């Protein structure tokens, strides 16, 4: 495997160089008959990738070639899965190709998912199917479009190779890009193995690389962990505000940097259902939508335990106290914005809870309700939103109180509407939308994927209102069962 493509991109492998204890060098296993299926041009531009045929035709997208400076490694980590210690996990099918050094400063990991077996593959085949690759691609770009911290997706490659799941499916590879793939599970791994020195080295590497402003602070481990706690709380508060259920919040899927990571059987809510379980093999509902805030704290407690050699129990507890305020601030800010409430009022929470109660009773569509509210807020009776509710008197009673509350705001109605439309998306990545893009892509047609991707990049655009993508889901779309196999 040679670096045929000589382009202006610079890659390093700092992780492998500095933390050899936490990875193994592994070459990707190319996908037979591989080809680039879809490139995220907007992200490619952000990363200053040249828009050349040479790069497009490169085999890097499907594991057949390495760009200059890439030195692939599989990372090792451990974790708690569904509340139980699972021991060593690690990248069973993904490789950190290297860190691209950005012309603007800083670096990003390029991670090739579906790249073949690694020492951590256990019983797995090291592969990923097109279906799950496309779901991860769309979800990460949807999250980014919603302004929520996430790993990104640069490319989808596919090939002639079939991968056996419940049935044989087209294999695929994703290039995932992130500031870092550091996971809670990396620290749990070292703690469990009692590799005290390596754990300290990893903490120092993390601070120097991603929290350089803390490097010289005497209390740096505390400040660092408190920030991890806050970032996690903020991310989960934001998930709750858009109706996102991650589905597999195991500690190995928790990013140290507070990025949404490892999209599997996730779901964006259609009907408002607080108990929504995105993952159909989560029989107990551990990762149900409404449990995510509690699970986030449980996961942070596992990380705190792993850091107990660096910080006293008192300091760890003090840092963990930052979780709830961060989550509530992020959630509160988004929910107040969704309602168009900017001045403080002690009754606002009641107003929101009453709306949620009504929505749950009527199975109102989460995204559509708030989008229509953005248009209806300044109408007398509730405009199109009113028509969505069967129990009109209940809706009218709530809407009258809402309008009275809006009367206490000083913002002018036009500005309020603009702001509400900028926080209440016209569409989210509903499971059935992803499924339509998958079915077409499996037949070689990427136009559905391309138009969905374009819409998700700016889900607030007004031209989307009235488009098919912004319509409430068809009944079959609500009942889709998403396979956990990936
Ligand atoms: P996930 O639920 O996708 O986060 O995966 C959990 C663990 O299983 C990770 O260590 C993955 O790398 C590994 N894994 C998942 N699918 C495969 C596969 N097909 N082959 C090898 N390892 C896998
Ligand atoms: Mg994972």
């Amino acid at each position: 495997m040679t670096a045929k493509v000589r382009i202006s991109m610079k890659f390093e492998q700092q992780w492998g160089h500095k933390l050899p204890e936490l990875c193994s060098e592994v070459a990707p296993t190319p996908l037979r008959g591989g080809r680039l299926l879809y490139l995220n041009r907007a992200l490619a531009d952000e990363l200053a990738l040249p828009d050349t045929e040479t790069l497009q035709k490169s085999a890097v997208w499907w594991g057949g070639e390495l760009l200059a400076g890439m030195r692939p490694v599989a990372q090792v980590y451990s974790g708690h899965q569904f509340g139980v210690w699972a021991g060593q996990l690690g990248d069973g099918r993904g490789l950190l190709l290297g860190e691209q050094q950005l012309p603007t400063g800083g670096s990003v990991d390029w991670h090739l998912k579906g790249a073949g077996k690694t020492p951590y593959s256990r019983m797995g085949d090291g592969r990923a199917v097109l279906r799950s690759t496309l779901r991860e691609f769309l979800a990460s770009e949807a999250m980014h479009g919603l302004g929520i911290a996430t790993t990104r997706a640069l490319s989808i490659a596919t090939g002639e190779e079939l991968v056996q799941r419940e049935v044989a499916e087209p294999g695929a590879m994703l290039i995932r890009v992130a500031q870092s793939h550091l996971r809670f599970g990396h620290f749990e791994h070292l703690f469990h193995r009692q590799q005290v020195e390596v754990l300290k080295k990893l903490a120092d590497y993390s601070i120097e690389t991603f929290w350089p402003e803390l490097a010289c602070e005497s209390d740096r481990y505390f400040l660092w962990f408190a920030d991890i706690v806050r970032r996690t709380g903020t991310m989960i508060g934001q998930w709750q505000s858009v109706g996102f259920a991650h589905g597999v919040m195991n500690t190995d899927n928790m990013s140290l940097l507070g990025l949404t990571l490892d999209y599997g059987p996730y779901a964006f809510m259609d009907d408002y259902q607080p108990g929504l379980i995105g993952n159909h093999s989560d029989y107990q509902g551990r990762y149900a939508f409404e449990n995510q805030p509690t699970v986030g704290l449980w996961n942070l407690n596992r990380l705190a335990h792993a850091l107990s050699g660096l910080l006293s129990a008192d300091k760890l507890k003090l840092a963990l106290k930052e979780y709830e305020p961060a989550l509530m601030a992020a959630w509160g800010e988004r929910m107040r914005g969704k309602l168009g409430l900017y001045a403080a009022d002690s009754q606002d929470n009641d107003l929101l809870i009453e709306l949620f109660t009504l929505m749950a009773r009527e199975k109102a569509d989460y995204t559509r309700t708030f989008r229509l509210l953005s248009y209806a807020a300044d109408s007398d009776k509730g405009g199109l939103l009113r028509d969505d509710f069967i129990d009109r008197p209940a809706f009218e009673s709530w809407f009258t109180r809402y309008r009275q509350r809006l009367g206490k705001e000083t913002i002018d109605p036009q500005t309020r509407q603009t702001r509400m439309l900028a926080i209440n998306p016209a569409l989210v990545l509903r499971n059935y939308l992803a499924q339509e893009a998958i079915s077409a892509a499996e037949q070689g047609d990427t136009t559905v994927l391309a138009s969905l991707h374009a819409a998700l990049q700016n889900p607030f655009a007004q031209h989307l209102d009235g488009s098919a993508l912004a319509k409430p889901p068809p009944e079959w779309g609500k009942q889709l069962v998403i396979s956990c196999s990936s």
Side-chain angles (χ1 to χ4, degrees), residues 142 145-146 371 421 424-428 454-461 464:
L146 290 166
R371 184 68 174 183
L421 289 171
N424 290 315
L427 86 157
V428 286
L456 292 169
Q457 284 174 315
N458 181 9
F460 306 104
L464 293 170

Side-chain angles (χ1 to χ4, degrees), residues 77 81 90 113 176 183 248 250 252-253 261-263:
Y77 47 83
Q81 298 190 316
K113 192 163 173 179
R176 180 164 74 186
R183 300 162 189 263
V248 206
N250 294 331
D252 53 300
N253 291 340
L261 172 68
D262 277 7
Y263 294 89

Side-chain angles (χ1 to χ4, degrees), residues 86-370:
Q88 179 177 304
L89 300 162
D91 288 337
R93 55 172 167 174
L95 297 175
L96 174 60
L97 296 175
E99 299 108 3
Q100 186 197 350
Q101 307 301 306
L102 299 175
T104 47
S107 71
V108 286
D109 288 0
W110 279 38
H111 177 99
L112 184 65
K113 192 163 173 179
K117 286 192 187 171
T118 77
Y120 318 115
S121 295
R122 296 174 291 157
M123 307 299 282
D125 58 7
R127 289 305 197 205
V129 293
L130 182 57
R131 169 175 51 81
S132 67
T133 302
L134 216 129
R135 277 177 53 85
E136 170 149 7
F137 181 98
L138 286 167
S140 44
E141 294 311 292
M143 276 310 217
H144 180 69
L146 290 166
I148 299 177
T150 177
T151 59
R152 302 288 306 277
L154 178 61
S155 60
I156 302 173
T158 188
E160 289 160 9
E161 203 171 307
L162 292 179
V163 172
Q164 190 62 41
R165 294 294 179 259
E166 285 92 345
V167 293
E169 297 185 45
M173 286 193 204
L174 176 82
I175 291 192
R176 180 164 74 186
V177 171
Q179 201 191 357
S180 167
H181 281 75
L182 260 168
R183 300 162 189 263
F184 289 12
H186 280 120
F187 289 91
E188 292 180 276
H189 182 75
L190 297 170
F191 178 73
H192 189 76
R193 300 262 169 116
Q194 299 179 336
Q195 290 178 274
V196 181
E197 284 309 311
V198 187
L199 193 148
K200 187 172 175 303
K201 184 167 78 165
L202 180 63
D204 291 338
Y205 163 82
S206 149
I207 293 173
E208 279 157 25
T209 316
F210 306 110
W211 282 267
E213 68 282 7
L214 302 182
C216 297
E217 299 284 341
S218 57
D219 217 7
R220 64 185 172 283
Y221 294 129
F222 170 75
L223 296 170
W224 167 69
F225 181 54
D227 197 50
I228 295 164
V229 171
R230 278 193 298 270
R231 286 184 190 213
T232 307
T234 300
M235 173 185 77
I236 295 176
Q238 293 179 346
W239 289 357
Q240 301 306 111
S241 76
V242 297
F244 175 77
H246 180 285
V248 206
M249 288 176 70
N250 294 331
T251 56
D252 53 300
N253 291 340
M254 296 294 293
S255 144
L256 202 77
L257 270 54
L259 309 174
T260 313
L261 172 68
D262 277 7
Y263 294 89
Y266 62 82
F268 283 90
M269 221 178 239
D270 294 315
D271 300 347
Y272 177 63
Q273 289 178 61
L276 174 75
I277 301 169
N279 181 348
H280 289 269
S281 56
D282 179 10
Y283 306 110
Q284 317 247 300
R286 178 181 176 85
Y287 298 141
F289 174 75
E290 65 191 347
N291 291 347
Q292 296 185 128
T294 315
V295 173
L297 185 58
W298 192 90
N299 288 346
L300 282 165
N301 269 280
R302 303 287 75 70
L303 177 61
H305 189 61
L307 300 180
S308 54
L310 297 178
L311 284 164
S312 69
D314 284 347
K315 285 274 184 179
L316 289 167
K317 281 188 200 147
L318 193 63
L320 287 167
K321 283 203 175 126
E322 302 270 333
Y323 179 72
E324 195 179 320
L327 187 146
M328 290 309 287
W331 185 76
E333 189 190 318
R334 288 225 172 193
M335 294 316 298
R336 292 175 62 75
K338 286 172 85 66
L339 288 166
L341 303 178
Y342 310 106
D345 189 303
S346 59
Q347 303 297 306
D348 288 351
N349 210 33
D350 293 345
L351 200 62
L352 179 60
I353 288 168
E354 284 162 33
L355 176 62
F356 276 158
T357 308
L358 190 61
M359 286 168 69
R361 212 167 64 213
E362 296 247 346
K363 298 197 168 49
D365 186 84
Y366 185 77
T367 303
R368 181 178 155 88
T369 300
F370 285 101

